[in-house]
Amino acid sequence: MDRHTLAQALARAVPGLEVVATPEALRPFESDGLTALRQLPLVAVLPDRVEQVQAVLRFCFEAKIPVVARGAGTGLSGGALPCEAGVLLVLAKLNRILEINPMRQCARLQPGVRNLAISEAAAPHDLFYAPDPSSQIACSIGGNVAENAGGVHCLKYGLTVHNLLAVTIVTVEGDLLTLGGPTLEAPGLDLLALFTGSEGLLGVVVEVTVRLRPIPAQQEVLLAAFDSIRASGDAVAAVIAAGIIPAGMELMDKLAVQAAEDFVHAGYPRDAAAVLLCELDGAPAVLAETRERVMAVLRAAGASSITVSDSDEARLRLWSGRKNAFPAVGRLAPDYYCMDGTIPRRYLGEVLDAIAARSEAAGLPVANVFHAGDGNLHPLILYDANTPDGVARAEALGNEILALCVAYGGSVTGEHGVGVEKLDAMCSQFAPPELARFKALKAAFDPEGLLNPGKAVPTLARCAELGGMHVHHGQLPHPELPRL
Amino acid sequence: MSAGPAPRRDLSLDPFVQDAAERIRQAAAAGVVLIPRGNSTRDAALRAHAGEALALGAYAGIVQHTPTELVVTARAGTPLRTLVAALAAEGQRLPFEPPLGDPRATLGGAVALGTSGPARPYRAALRDALLGVTLLDGTGTLCRFGGEVMKNVAGFDVSRLMAGSYGQLGAMLEISLRLEPCPEVTQTQALACDLDDALARMPALAARPGALTGLAWLDGQLLARFEGGAVEVALDAAAAGGETLPPPVADNLWSTLREGPLAPLAGEHLWRLALPVDAPVWALPSARWAVDWGGGRRWLSTTAPDAAVEQALSAVGGHGLRVAPSVRRSPQPGALRALEARVAGAMDPSGVFAHGAAPGEAD
Ligand SMILES: Cc1cc2nc3c(=O)[nH]c(=O)nc-3n(C[C@H](O)[C@H](O)[C@H](O)COP(=O)(O)OP(=O)(O)OC[C@H]3O[C@@H](n4cnc5c(N)ncnc54)[C@H](O)[C@@H]3O)c2cc1C
Ligand SMILES: Cc1cc2nc3c(=O)[nH]c(=O)nc-3n(C[C@H](O)[C@H](O)[C@H](O)COP(=O)(O)OP(=O)(O)OC[C@H]3O[C@@H](n4cnc5c(N)ncnc54)[C@H](O)[C@@H]3O)c2cc1C
């Protein structure tokens, strides 16, 4: 079907549906946050009622047309990259907060509600929605469910999956189905857990019920400077090992610290090799007690200086460097490539050293700014896409870093998802038997593979071609290379 | 210089695993149904399902516990009490406070049943703490999902799907769980009151951020448990009011709530209900109640017919599990049941584990 015919047929089949079908008007939808990849869909549709979502899916199911769901398009792995011969289903107009229920401490939301809007709406009830991705002013709760998004406060309060009660989806056939419910326990298989983080492959989210939590009495942030990145990584593991779970623990290395300082003047020590931001929350007396314990651990771990925020203003200023770190690093080079590997926390120092060595060998600077408390790395590889092999070199270094994470018992993605970007990396983390189960699970929801096709799960053929990538029995891909 | 990562264990070399895999392949080929089993401590509660036992209780032992990481990996046959004791020796515990049951009850059984205890609304559900599972799928193939890291969105979350899967999706071999440090201080406040009064008071107690890790009503007392640092616990307990229970008395009450607080009398049916916290108390004949999860879980022993309980449940959007005289859960909507069957088929294409122990479990 060509663009024009499809647009007309959809408009006819779904009364009142906004259909976008000219190349110029489709341009804003051609990529998500991973702007290196671009593709115009055949058409984009922007339903403003759940029945329209159902009707669109019914139509596409009948006509065997692929459907890619899109929330706010802030995803970093190409998950919402359109399909050339498909429909892009944009959920942004379904953006109503349906209910805030303080008694049950929950909120019912349409999928296009922005993450930050939930906490704003809950605040009058002294409640908040805990998962807070750095993109929270823009990203949608539907996209958060699809990616199992995390954020600074997930260390203490959990990821998206830990804060959901129910998700209502439209199946590929156009039917409504609710996974989970208003209670903390539901009978049968935990399809809600399976669905969370499924990247739009299993169904389209049209309603989400999230748990809200009481807002802590007070928050403060400690900024600790370190003379080596290794010591800062080990300090994170030491805080956890001491039995303290702060509200958040974020690390930034020298390159990221300097970039952030130049950009927002947060007051970070420019000469530090690494800066650790540690947020504590609770009643004032509780904070005083925890602060002493954390400071003792950080000093013992080699912190050269520790600053404590003494007002909300000071706290927000210290956070501003972290919150603006991505754009700040973005000013250092024409392009950057954000990785998202996770590792056990005890290896943080070791792996950061290894990344530095590989960065030097590759001749590409790497800035690190990440969710250290969760062991979730975000190495930002700086490169220039306009040099002949710029992209290829950045990707090669990225894949090397991800293989390193897998070798240390970690994962190729902690929160950004696989999308199209990490399909190759998936072959290093999973062997054919697991991939076969993923394929079968996909088929259980979507037998004809119409929902977000080609994303998240690589084909066995693709992995076979990559062959050597699979980390076998814990051996690194290149055992001949000297270890640090 | 560094030690580098620990090499990944290769379970496929283990003779026990090889035998179990062979057994699954043969059963699948012969059309025989297998029921994965830990130490069968729950056997009596299950009807005699048509299927042979795949005994996994002997596959036991803690594989790796790295206290500084707050993560443990153990074989599925490890007795839950053994695991809990080993963690306690390092000052750590399972965040979901599962029923410990019989001393021989296994970790695999606990994960397969997916039950969380009193701390569930305030700390974690069992599935929340589940980081990774290594299993034999329905083709007898070894698969490893998740791992030991806190965050992992590569591939579908099959590990968490195993929580509450009743042995229908595969035979679990190794299980990795997130742990938490044992609190410095635990204190329980009690206030004598009736059930309606308790339910009315609970939301205010739950609305306060802080150290609350249990909120229940048992034997005419509202119970609020606080855990954490000494300063925080003292503050929150004082704000809650009531009298402080002596620790042994309090421990006993919370373990009663964890293991199941009511025993049915002759002619009564015993239910474990999941309800919205603001659901009203139902007027039912000779009903005895115990309440956990701030009102979200209620135990009910009653002579009322099952249909009356199920009708009251559906009116508030709740779920029920009849625990005695035999296990029976409230039915799922048909579309969900069909999807569940397809999901089970994805993990177990030949239906070798399709023993039907979960969905109806009718008498
Ligand atoms: C500057 C920046 C910082 C970021 N920081 C973080 C962070 O701290 N933590 C983090 O986790 N992520 C972060 N991200 C990534 C991104 O914001 C998250 O993945 C977010 O959850 C995506 O939401 P979205 O609405 O933009 O989804 P989109 O990008 O539109 O879509 C993402 C995926 O979800 C699917 N999807 C979207 N809506 C639906 C729906 N209704 N039903 C079914 N599938 C759907 C899409 O098909 C796609 O696969 C960051 C991104 C940026 C640009
Ligand atoms: C009447 C009764 C009811 C109980 N109800 C509960 C309850 O609701 N929740 C709870 O937590 N505890 C319950 N218990 C306590 C229970 O004994 C323990 O939870 C225990 O963990 C079960 O361990 P087991 O090894 O004896 O399991 P078993 O009795 O051998 O098996 C129990 C279930 O788990 C599955 N299973 C066991 N091991 C594996 C494995 N390795 N891989 C895949 N599946 C496996 C089985 O297929 C079966 O569905 C109950 C006990 C009794 C006597």
Side-chain angles (χ1 to χ4, degrees):
Chain A
M1 224 183 283
D2 67 36
R3 181 164 284 145
H4 184 68
T5 318
L6 177 59
Q8 283 198 326
L10 269 166
R12 226 177 304 119
V14 189
L17 179 69
E18 179 178 345
V19 182
V20 179
T22 63
E24 309 75 62
L26 284 169
R27 200 62 67 194
F29 300 114
E30 69 180 350
S31 65
D32 60 7
L34 185 70
T35 49
L37 303 177
R38 286 160 205 279
Q39 174 63 58
L40 288 186
L42 215 46
V43 305
V45 297
L46 289 84
D48 58 13
R49 294 196 304 273
V50 172
E51 302 76 56
Q52 292 180 336
V53 178
Q54 292 183 262
V56 167
L57 280 158
R58 267 189 220 115
F59 175 92
C60 291
F61 186 70
E62 284 286 308
K64 307 293 166 234
I65 295 172
V67 177
V68 177
R70 176 183 168 110
T74 67
L76 291 172
S77 55
L81 185 74
C83 205
E84 189 179 5
V87 169
L88 187 72
L89 176 56
V90 185
L91 285 309
K93 284 170 83 179
L94 284 167
N95 63 356
R96 279 191 303 134
I97 294 176
L98 300 170
E99 180 189 4
I100 303 277
N101 188 328
M103 179 76 102
R104 295 186 183 180
Q105 300 191 346
C106 68
R108 260 188 333 115
L109 314 156
Q110 288 195 319
V113 171
R114 288 176 309 113
N115 174 291
L116 187 60
I118 310 169
S119 286
E120 285 170 354
H125 306 283
D126 293 318
L127 297 169
F128 76 113
Y129 176 59
D132 54 347
S134 310
S135 50
Q136 69 180 150
I137 49 166
C139 65
S140 73
I141 187 67
N144 290 172
V145 171
E147 300 285 14
N148 189 14
V152 166
H153 290 103
C154 290
L155 177 58
K156 179 166 176 182
Y157 297 106
L159 307 166
T160 303
V161 69
H162 303 122
N163 289 278
L164 292 178
L165 283 174
V167 167
T168 299
I169 64 169
V170 177
T171 65
V172 69
E173 295 93 353
D175 298 330
L176 281 173
L177 206 57
T178 298
L179 314 177
T183 59
L184 285 179
E185 207 174 53
L189 292 176
D190 198 340
L191 299 181
L192 179 57
L194 180 69
F195 188 89
T196 309
S198 62
E199 303 194 27
L201 267 71
L202 304 185
V204 175
V205 179
V206 290
E207 190 177 308
V208 184
T209 308
V210 299
R211 288 186 74 191
L212 302 173
R213 293 168 190 269
I215 297 176
Q218 202 173 313
Q219 296 161 296
E220 69 178 31
V221 58
L222 273 62
L223 180 148
F226 289 86
D227 298 332
S228 81
I229 185 81
R230 178 90 181 226
S232 69
D234 292 344
V236 171
V239 171
I240 300 289
I244 307 165
I245 313 284
M249 264 205 290
E250 302 281 306
L251 258 183
M252 295 170 68
D253 69 4
K254 187 169 197 145
L255 199 52
V257 164
Q258 293 184 344
E261 268 307 288
D262 290 341
F263 192 45
V264 294
H265 313 291
Y268 294 171
R270 291 180 152 277
D271 51 343
V275 153
L276 174 63
L277 290 159
C278 178
E279 180 157 295
L280 305 175
D281 62 15
V286 178
L287 278 185
E289 186 197 36
T290 320
R291 182 194 312 130
E292 289 316 309
R293 289 175 62 206
V294 172
M295 285 176 69
V297 174
L298 294 178
R299 282 206 196 89
S304 53
S305 72
I306 303 178
T307 313
V308 183
S309 65
D310 52 7
S311 64
D312 274 348
E313 209 173 54
R315 178 173 62 85
L316 295 176
R317 194 163 70 97
L318 286 178
W319 272 124
S320 70
R322 167 62 183 94
K323 297 242 167 183
N324 290 292
F326 281 31
V329 170
R331 306 191 326 156
L332 299 180
D335 300 281
Y336 73 82
Y337 184 33
C338 175
M339 311 307 297
D340 178 41
T342 66
I343 52 167
R345 290 174 282 228
R346 63 185 179 281
Y347 297 130
L348 274 174
E350 199 171 317
V351 170
L352 288 170
D353 273 353
I355 291 174
R358 281 170 173 70
S359 149
E360 203 175 310
L364 294 173
V366 172
N368 285 287
V369 35
F370 63 100
H371 311 304
D374 290 317
N376 188 177
L377 304 167
H378 284 331
L380 303 174
I381 301 171
L382 306 184
Y383 72 104
D384 182 352
N386 285 328
T387 57
D389 58 347
V391 175
R393 281 172 59 216
E395 279 180 1
L397 178 56
N399 275 328
E400 231 182 292
I401 291 173
L402 294 186
L404 194 67
C405 293
V406 174
Y408 275 86
S411 170
V412 298
T413 173
E415 59 180 23
H416 295 167
V418 173
V420 270
E421 180 213 8
K422 289 185 268 298
L423 285 170
D424 286 347
M426 281 290 283
C427 306
S428 75
Q429 187 171 335
F430 293 102
E434 290 94 19
L435 294 173
R437 288 310 122 223
F438 292 155
K439 288 276 175 220
L441 286 165
K442 160 76 171 163
F445 285 78
D446 175 18
E448 311 201 31
L450 295 174
L451 296 175
N452 218 359
K455 311 276 178 68
V457 182
T459 60
L460 291 176
R462 182 180 187 128
C463 291
E465 255 171 56
L466 286 164
M469 278 277 291
H470 186 68
V471 179
H472 197 59
H473 300 166
Q475 298 299 303
L476 282 170
H478 301 288
E480 73 285 3
L481 295 179
R483 295 282 179 78
L484 284 168
Chain B
M1 285 293 129
S2 88
R8 191 189 274 196
R9 292 174 303 282
D10 188 354
L11 269 58
S12 69
L13 305 176
D14 187 315
F16 182 96
V17 175
Q18 290 171 346
D19 284 353
E22 184 53 31
R23 178 95 197 281
I24 294 170
R25 281 192 292 267
Q26 283 179 3
V32 172
V33 170
L34 292 178
I35 308 178
R37 279 276 164 221
N39 285 329
S40 299
T41 63
R42 198 171 165 274
D43 244 356
L46 294 176
R47 77 184 147 104
H49 293 288
E52 294 177 11
L54 176 66
L56 299 164
Y59 199 65
I62 294 174
V63 177
Q64 179 163 317
H65 176 209
T66 318
T68 57
E69 199 72 36
L70 289 172
V71 173
V72 70
T73 296
R75 289 176 169 179
T78 310
L80 204 48
R81 286 179 192 266
T82 308
L83 177 63
V84 166
L87 299 177
E90 300 281 354
Q92 298 187 350
R93 64 179 183 179
L94 301 172
F96 47 90
E97 209 179 1
L100 300 179
D102 185 281
R104 296 173 59 248
T106 66
L107 171 63
V111 172
L113 297 175
T115 308
S116 311
R120 192 266 176 256
Y122 317 100
R123 296 191 337 234
L126 184 146
R127 61 94 119 146
D128 293 342
L130 206 50
L131 299 177
V133 172
T134 305
L135 54 82
L136 291 166
D137 68 15
T139 69
T141 308
L142 192 65
C143 295
R144 183 173 182 271
F145 297 101
E148 294 194 332
V149 285
M150 295 300 123
K151 293 170 77 173
N152 186 352
V153 293
F156 300 128
D157 196 344
V158 177
S159 316
R160 289 201 170 90
L161 182 65
M162 297 309 289
S165 63
Y166 284 80
Q168 298 178 101
L169 302 182
M172 290 183 276
L173 296 170
E174 279 188 8
I175 294 162
S176 298
L177 296 163
R178 175 169 65 84
L179 305 173
E180 63 177 20
C182 292
E184 197 186 318
V185 180
T186 299
Q187 185 173 324
T188 297
Q189 298 299 108
L191 181 76
C193 65
D194 67 22
L195 176 55
D196 287 301
D197 192 12
L199 286 171
R201 288 170 185 268
M202 283 177 177
L205 288 161
R208 191 185 148 94
L212 184 74
T213 67
L215 189 54
W217 182 83
L218 182 63
D219 296 337
Q221 287 191 106
L222 171 62
L223 304 170
R225 181 178 63 184
F226 301 94
E227 296 179 301
V231 175
E232 185 171 31
V233 168
L235 263 177
D236 289 359
E243 60 160 322
T244 305
L245 292 182
V249 174
D251 287 352
N252 197 25
L253 291 173
W254 291 111
S255 67
T256 301
L257 281 159
R258 191 185 67 211
E259 303 295 328
L262 296 181
L265 303 173
E268 288 183 345
H269 285 187
L270 175 64
W271 292 80
R272 193 178 79 202
L273 311 170
L275 302 175
V277 291
D278 53 358
V281 180
W282 307 327
L284 291 171
S286 84
R288 293 183 298 121
W289 294 93
V291 171
D292 202 350
W293 297 1
R297 169 184 275 175
R298 300 184 199 177
W299 300 82
L300 166 67
S301 200
T302 180
T303 52
D306 289 352
V309 175
E310 270 160 12
Q311 197 182 345
L313 274 171
S314 65
V316 295
H319 304 294
L321 175 73
R322 193 187 71 196
V323 186
S326 59
V327 178
R328 201 179 96 105
R329 64 200 61 237
S330 37
Q332 291 262 72
L336 260 185
R337 269 210 311 276
L339 178 57
E340 285 189 2
R342 293 200 301 276
V343 166
M347 294 299 294
D348 174 21
S350 67
V352 63
F353 297 126
H355 48 73
E361 253 181 326
D363 319 89

PDB file of all heavy atoms in Angstrom, chain A residues 130-141:
ATOM      1  N   ALA A 130       8.204   7.586  42.151  1.00  0.00           N
ATOM      2  CA  ALA A 130       9.647   7.512  42.401  1.00  0.00           C
ATOM      3  C   ALA A 130      10.547   7.397  41.156  1.00  0.00           C
ATOM      4  O   ALA A 130      11.552   8.091  41.073  1.00  0.00           O
ATOM      5  CB  ALA A 130       9.935   6.376  43.380  1.00  0.00           C
ATOM      6  N   PRO A 131      10.269   6.517  40.185  1.00  0.00           N
ATOM      7  CA  PRO A 131      11.235   6.408  39.075  1.00  0.00           C
ATOM      8  C   PRO A 131      11.351   7.714  38.287  1.00  0.00           C
ATOM      9  O   PRO A 131      10.360   8.214  37.775  1.00  0.00           O
ATOM     10  CB  PRO A 131      10.641   5.284  38.205  1.00  0.00           C
ATOM     11  CG  PRO A 131       9.777   4.490  39.140  1.00  0.00           C
ATOM     12  CD  PRO A 131       9.200   5.516  40.075  1.00  0.00           C
ATOM     13  N   ASP A 132      12.547   8.255  38.244  1.00  0.00           N
ATOM     14  CA  ASP A 132      12.739   9.607  37.710  1.00  0.00           C
ATOM     15  C   ASP A 132      13.877   9.654  36.694  1.00  0.00           C
ATOM     16  O   ASP A 132      14.964  10.139  36.982  1.00  0.00           O
ATOM     17  CB  ASP A 132      13.036  10.579  38.857  1.00  0.00           C
ATOM     18  CG  ASP A 132      14.205  10.112  39.729  1.00  0.00           C
ATOM     19  OD1 ASP A 132      14.613   8.943  39.604  1.00  0.00           O
ATOM     20  OD2 ASP A 132      14.722  10.927  40.520  1.00  0.00           O
ATOM     21  N   PRO A 133      13.639   9.142  35.473  1.00  0.00           N
ATOM     22  CA  PRO A 133      14.688   9.223  34.454  1.00  0.00           C
ATOM     23  C   PRO A 133      15.116  10.675  34.236  1.00  0.00           C
ATOM     24  O   PRO A 133      14.312  11.592  34.448  1.00  0.00           O
ATOM     25  CB  PRO A 133      14.020   8.652  33.193  1.00  0.00           C
ATOM     26  CG  PRO A 133      12.599   8.420  33.510  1.00  0.00           C
ATOM     27  CD  PRO A 133      12.404   8.524  34.982  1.00  0.00           C
ATOM     28  N   SER A 134      16.362  10.869  33.831  1.00  0.00           N
ATOM     29  CA  SER A 134      16.851  12.234  33.614  1.00  0.00           C
ATOM     30  C   SER A 134      16.020  12.959  32.568  1.00  0.00           C
ATOM     31  O   SER A 134      16.004  14.177  32.513  1.00  0.00           O
ATOM     32  CB  SER A 134      18.309  12.213  33.176  1.00  0.00           C
ATOM     33  OG  SER A 134      19.059  11.410  34.042  1.00  0.00           O
ATOM     34  N   SER A 135      15.341  12.171  31.732  1.00  0.00           N
ATOM     35  CA  SER A 135      14.508  12.750  30.669  1.00  0.00           C
ATOM     36  C   SER A 135      13.093  13.031  31.156  1.00  0.00           C
ATOM     37  O   SER A 135      12.181  13.205  30.357  1.00  0.00           O
ATOM     38  CB  SER A 135      14.445  11.763  29.508  1.00  0.00           C
ATOM     39  OG  SER A 135      14.085  10.470  29.996  1.00  0.00           O
ATOM     40  N   GLN A 136      12.879  13.108  32.476  1.00  0.00           N
ATOM     41  CA  GLN A 136      11.518  13.078  33.017  1.00  0.00           C
ATOM     42  C   GLN A 136      10.634  14.246  32.621  1.00  0.00           C
ATOM     43  O   GLN A 136       9.424  14.132  32.700  1.00  0.00           O
ATOM     44  CB  GLN A 136      11.534  12.920  34.543  1.00  0.00           C
ATOM     45  CG  GLN A 136      12.050  14.123  35.289  1.00  0.00           C
ATOM     46  CD  GLN A 136      12.044  13.910  36.800  1.00  0.00           C
ATOM     47  OE1 GLN A 136      12.858  14.455  37.482  1.00  0.00           O
ATOM     48  NE2 GLN A 136      11.137  13.115  37.325  1.00  0.00           N
ATOM     49  N   ILE A 137      11.206  15.372  32.202  1.00  0.00           N
ATOM     50  CA  ILE A 137      10.307  16.452  31.773  1.00  0.00           C
ATOM     51  C   ILE A 137       9.637  16.106  30.445  1.00  0.00           C
ATOM     52  O   ILE A 137       8.608  16.652  30.108  1.00  0.00           O
ATOM     53  CB  ILE A 137      11.012  17.826  31.623  1.00  0.00           C
ATOM     54  CG1 ILE A 137      12.285  17.699  30.808  1.00  0.00           C
ATOM     55  CG2 ILE A 137      11.277  18.480  32.948  1.00  0.00           C
ATOM     56  CD1 ILE A 137      12.807  19.062  30.360  1.00  0.00           C
ATOM     57  N   ALA A 138      10.228  15.176  29.693  1.00  0.00           N
ATOM     58  CA  ALA A 138       9.688  14.887  28.368  1.00  0.00           C
ATOM     59  C   ALA A 138       9.122  13.478  28.217  1.00  0.00           C
ATOM     60  O   ALA A 138       8.085  13.290  27.582  1.00  0.00           O
ATOM     61  CB  ALA A 138      10.779  15.097  27.319  1.00  0.00           C
ATOM     62  N   CYS A 139       9.780  12.469  28.778  1.00  0.00           N
ATOM     63  CA  CYS A 139       9.421  11.087  28.441  1.00  0.00           C
ATOM     64  C   CYS A 139       8.054  10.721  28.996  1.00  0.00           C
ATOM     65  O   CYS A 139       7.590  11.283  29.977  1.00  0.00           O
ATOM     66  CB  CYS A 139      10.493  10.108  28.916  1.00  0.00           C
ATOM     67  SG  CYS A 139      10.674  10.018  30.692  1.00  0.00           S
ATOM     68  N   SER A 140       7.398   9.745  28.362  1.00  0.00           N
ATOM     69  CA  SER A 140       6.029   9.386  28.729  1.00  0.00           C
ATOM     70  C   SER A 140       6.019   8.141  29.598  1.00  0.00           C
ATOM     71  O   SER A 140       6.920   7.308  29.537  1.00  0.00           O
ATOM     72  CB  SER A 140       5.205   9.132  27.461  1.00  0.00           C
ATOM     73  OG  SER A 140       5.585   7.891  26.867  1.00  0.00           O
ATOM     74  N   ILE A 141       4.957   7.999  30.393  1.00  0.00           N
ATOM     75  CA  ILE A 141       4.855   6.829  31.268  1.00  0.00           C
ATOM     76  C   ILE A 141       4.712   5.551  30.425  1.00  0.00           C
ATOM     77  O   ILE A 141       5.242   4.505  30.799  1.00  0.00           O
ATOM     78  CB  ILE A 141       3.710   6.981  32.304  1.00  0.00           C
ATOM     79  CG1 ILE A 141       3.720   5.830  33.309  1.00  0.00           C
ATOM     80  CG2 ILE A 141       2.346   7.083  31.649  1.00  0.00           C
ATOM     81  CD1 ILE A 141       4.905   5.790  34.237  1.00  0.00           C
TER      82      ILE A 141
END
